[in-house]
Amino acid sequence: PLLRDRIPERERLQTVPICQSFYGDRIKALVVSDTLLNEYPNTPGALNAIALSYRMNLREFARAESMFARVIESEPNTPFAYFNIVEAQIAQGKYDAAAVSLDRARRRFPARSASGGISEPLYNLGRRDSAEASARAQASGVSVLDRLNGHNTLSVLAALRGRIAEARTHLAEARALERESGEQSSALGDSLIAARIEIVFFNNPSRAVRTLDRALAETPLESIGWIPSRPYLRIASLYAQAHRVDKAKATLAAYDRAVDDTSQRRRDQPDRDAALGYIALADQRPRDAVAAFRRSDMQSDGPVDMCAVCAEPSVGLAFDRAGMADSAIATLEHYVNAPSVHRRFVDAWNLHWALRRLGELHEARGDSAEAVRYYQRFVELWKNADPELKPTVTRITQHLARLSTRETTH
């Protein structure tokens, strides 16, 4: 008999959705999960896991919220749903309700709050200073895992605010903790981060290319035994952003030769579309880039994940390159203003330039009030940026003063 015929029905109903989700069919996974809940409604942890893994990732946030509420009612002593409902409410823009839910979760489970594990919801509620304080508490925690997660979060929050030297320090601390816990650090992964920093923060594509070339010489992708862990698509995107479309296309072709598993290609398709988008930008085909970046936000069975704004910086950039100012403004404004969860990484790489560019686009349209608003948000974000980045802040600050004077005299 088959293995599925030998395991209890409830266990089969718990296992099948995991397999179907892995192979790219979350819709079928949800059908089986609903059967599990109908036939075995008291399965411990099942409702919370289904709401988080499927409803949230399919961006069915209202339904997820109602499911988390049911978990809280039926399993009042387990913490997960108390914190997960906060994210479901934030994703719907229900900030007041989310703040109340977070306060309830912190009172109900103070140990989790004290360890610093609430930086994510605090950030998504717009409380950046509190999120950073929470991450610092986590980085000073007892367990290696807490400290590791704390330093990783602090590296992201430092980069967000233009403090790149500090971000690198926290990243180095995280790598040391990984080694302490027996994990093998990825020199190649660190090089990809370093290359992206050169592109995004320092506008130095040639240095990024040298970093990538050196990293690939030291760790050829073909030397990585497990094919799914080879970062072909990230590298292709970075080469394209660094204006080396030849290397980007060669890396993408290497991916196509190496990866022939259809399930893996289906899971990788959003990242492949993102790479195609950056290649299209480098090839001066911004409208094709818009289409590719939009595809990169979708899997064959629905949205990539629960972040509703994470593809928008790239889409907005492509609209901008196409000279479609209205579309660029609409997309970038939605990105910087709309509620979302799991956005810290995307914000760290994109929020600064998106705010600055929105100021420029509004100014070009003659809307000085909106230009001032976005320039001020940029200056506030980067007010403590590294010295190398300060000239940009100073330039925008001086420009703001001129704009503000012009506004008051008209």
Side-chain angles (χ1 to χ4, degrees), residues 111-117 134-151 177 180-181:
R112 175 166 177 170
S113 300
S115 71
S134 176
R136 290 192 186 283
Q138 194 171 23
S140 303
V142 175
S143 76
V144 172
L145 182 58
D146 272 346
R147 298 201 303 275
L148 173 61
N149 289 336
H151 281 294
L177 288 164
E180 182 181 330
S181 62

Side-chain angles (χ1 to χ4, degrees), residues 205-219:
S206 59
R207 187 180 298 169
V209 170
R210 291 195 298 272
T211 299
L212 291 171
D213 288 348
R214 183 169 57 251
L216 290 172
E218 294 171 355
T219 309

Side-chain angles (χ1 to χ4, degrees), residues 265-277:
R265 290 185 70 90
R266 187 161 55 245
R267 290 192 296 275
D268 288 344
Q269 190 58 47
D271 289 335
R272 190 176 188 279
D273 284 326
L276 289 172

Side-chain angles (χ1 to χ4, degrees), residues 72-105:
I72 291 169
E73 183 178 352
S74 61
E75 302 176 38
N77 295 320
T78 55
F80 305 109
Y82 285 85
F83 290 93
N84 291 337
I85 199 171
V86 177
E87 300 287 38
Q89 291 166 332
I90 290 171
Q92 298 172 78
K94 297 163 69 172
Y95 294 116
D96 291 342
V100 170
S101 294
L102 182 58
D103 287 342
R104 175 184 61 179

Side-chain angles (χ1 to χ4, degrees), residues 26 51 94 117 136 202 246 256 268 287:
R26 289 172 292 179
K94 297 163 69 172
R136 290 192 186 283
F202 298 111
D246 55 329
D256 288 337
D268 288 344
R287 290 175 183 265

Side-chain angles (χ1 to χ4, degrees), residues 4-20:
R4 70 185 182 192
D5 297 326
R6 300 202 304 267
I7 63 176
E9 177 66 2
R10 183 164 75 172
E11 187 176 334
R12 185 186 73 80
L13 290 172
Q14 288 178 278
T15 305
V16 168
I18 297 172
C19 297
Q20 288 176 326

Side-chain angles (χ1 to χ4, degrees), residues 166-231:
E166 181 183 334
R168 286 171 168 151
T169 298
H170 285 298
L171 197 59
E173 291 283 354
R175 294 296 179 261
L177 288 164
E178 286 174 354
R179 292 190 294 273
E180 182 181 330
S181 62
E183 293 185 32
Q184 184 175 0
S185 295
S186 170
L188 178 58
D190 287 347
S191 294
L192 301 192
I193 294 172
R196 193 172 184 183
I197 285 173
E198 293 299 337
I199 294 167
V200 171
F201 293 101
F202 298 111
N203 192 27
N204 196 332
S206 59
R207 187 180 298 169
V209 170
R210 291 195 298 272
T211 299
L212 291 171
D213 288 348
R214 183 169 57 251
L216 290 172
E218 294 171 355
T219 309
L221 293 181
E222 293 73 18
S223 69
I224 300 173
W226 193 47
I227 292 176
S229 67
R230 299 177 185 175

